[in-house]
């Protein structure tokens, strides 16, 4: 959201700076822009951010069904059942295959 706001404000700020520079001159426009850079500092100074000592944790979210979530499936390679593999090997040997 903040990226969208800053990116969207750039063309508007460029038009305002160009218009102000044409109207009152380049140097006064640069002084006004420099003074406007103090606004975010004042906002941060007055916010509750100064009293924040630790990062807040994310709130606990209950599962939609109210039951425990199933354990995650392993992400490793799938190992076939050795008994099934041996049985398949015996069937191929009986048929005369490899």
């Amino acid at each position: 959201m903040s990226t969208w706001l800053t990116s969207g404000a750039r063309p508007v700020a460029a038009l305002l700076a160009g218009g102000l520079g044409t109207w009152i001159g380049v140097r006064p426009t640069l002084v006004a822009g420099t003074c406007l850079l103090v606004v975010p500092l004042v906002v941060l100074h007055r916010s509750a951010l100064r009293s924040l000592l630790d990062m807040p944790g994310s709130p606990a979210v209950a599962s939609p069904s109210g039951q425990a979530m199933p354990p995650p499936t392993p992400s490793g390679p799938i190992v076939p059942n050795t008994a099934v593999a041996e049985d398949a090997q015996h069937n191929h040997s009986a048929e005369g295959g490899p």
Side-chain angles (χ1 to χ4, degrees):
M1 172 92 174
S2 64
T3 305
W4 181 79
L5 285 174
T6 4
S7 298
R10 286 180 185 164
V12 175
L15 287 172
L16 287 174
L20 196 59
T22 302
W23 185 41
I24 64 173
V26 175
R27 290 186 194 266
T29 301
L30 289 173
V31 171
T34 304
C35 292
L36 286 175
L37 288 175
V38 176
V39 172
L41 295 175
V42 172
V43 170
L44 286 174
H45 182 70
R46 296 191 51 128
S47 72
L49 190 62
R50 288 183 52 218
S51 63
L52 185 65
L53 299 177
D54 295 323
M55 288 295 290
S58 61
V61 178
S63 63
S65 63
Q67 298 175 351
M69 297 291 290
T73 57
S75 61
I78 298 173
V79 179
N81 187 350
T82 56
V84 174
E86 288 174 7
D87 188 39
Q89 207 172 26
H90 289 293
N91 286 341
H92 286 296
S93 311
E95 296 172 2

